[in-house]
Amino acid sequence: MQALKGTHDILPEEMYKWDYMEGVIRDVCARYGYKEIRTPIIEATELFQRGIGDTTDVVTKEMYTFTDRGGRSVTLRPENTASAVRAYLEHKMYGDQQVHKMFYIGSMFRYDRPQAGRYREFHQFGLEVLGASSPLADAEVIAMACEIFHRLGLKDLDLHLNSIGDKNCRPAYRKKLIEFFEAKKDQLCDDCKERLYKNPLRILDCKEEGCKRASVGAPEITDYLCDDCRAKFDAVKKYLDALGISYTVDPRLVRGLDYYTNTAFEIQYPPLGAQSAVCGGGRYDGLVEEIGGPSTPGIGFAIGLERLLLALEMQHLIPEPKAKKHVYIAALGEEAVAEGFKIQEELRRLGVLADMDLQGRSLKGQMKQSGKLGSQFTVIIGSNELEKGAAAVKNMADSSQKDIPFGEVASYIAKEEQDSK
């Protein structure tokens, strides 16, 4: 048996990389006042149809959807924004009129072609800010993403920024875009031919070469922004300038769903090649309403952790884990093992990493195993030690050895470890 295509195991010896990434992320979240939310991996399919949009590739091609035993259509979550908004509504978090800042880390599922840093089950960190309409919230979210990458030591990142307007000014742009692509309809891929009248902004984001060529010279959304949207965009740029965060205004960067408004951004790491985006986000002031709640402003972003890990490995930015000081208890005979087992638990309660043999090795084999583990101390208990009521505690660094009464072994070693720090 093997893991399904597009899924992968994260083995114990690799977990320190994930722990490091997530540790930095959690620390930054705490400093910015974000609290963790955990949502179910499965949701009603309708949530994503309404929340993501039924014209997107995610909904039409990539979702893992099935009928459960109760006859309900359920879906493994392909992203977490819709789930976070569902939780926000279900628990009436909007009732306190506060700004809610949430983050999440977890598995998402999309049926897609597996490639470097891209899996069918992938891990994502994301955050959502609900209830804040100020451009300052947009700038803070972007600054926070940049701070995470900065704390991780990533360099050579490109921030792309755009405004996609709102329901007041986007219809005029949408009309111009349809007119532009109607003349080039025969150059579009089949998907984009369908998108033309439903969601023409998505054509600008298509990766097919024919669509890329067809979109050269397409109208730019920034030329159609209303005064209010332009002012908001200028404010976001002003706040980013104040922090010294460099960016490129990219009129082709879109979030093609109707409920997305104003700010859209993406952070890219070019060495990753075609899949260079390591972070994407935007404002979605229409999403809460679309799912059935009151009109509520929102903005967020998501980071694919597999891609982030690739970027960190490329720049050798993941520190090796610090080796923990280790104590090994070598015991021979049932009575000795019982005494050693007691000492082992006492050590662990004092915060000391301690192990015993679980394979029935000889005393010589246990001593050899202690050396392989790089133990700082080996606690030896045999018939002689049982007679004396004291264990032989061997310092593996200099081979010195002391007899310590059984009841004092744990405290002795804990003190020795503390004194050596």
Side-chain angles (χ1 to χ4, degrees), residues 239-258:
Y239 294 136
L240 294 177
D241 291 340
L243 296 180
I245 295 175
S246 60
Y247 55 84
T248 300
V249 175
D250 183 357
R252 296 183 64 84
L253 177 63
V254 298
R255 290 288 182 267
L257 311 182
D258 289 342

Side-chain angles (χ1 to χ4, degrees), residues 323-327 352-354 374-376 416-417 420-421:
K324 291 186 177 180
K325 293 178 180 178
H326 194 279
V327 176
V352 178
L353 175 59
S375 301
Q376 182 187 18
E416 288 289 308
E417 282 207 353
S420 67
K421 287 181 180 178

Side-chain angles (χ1 to χ4, degrees), residues 281 284 409:
Y284 48 80
V409 171

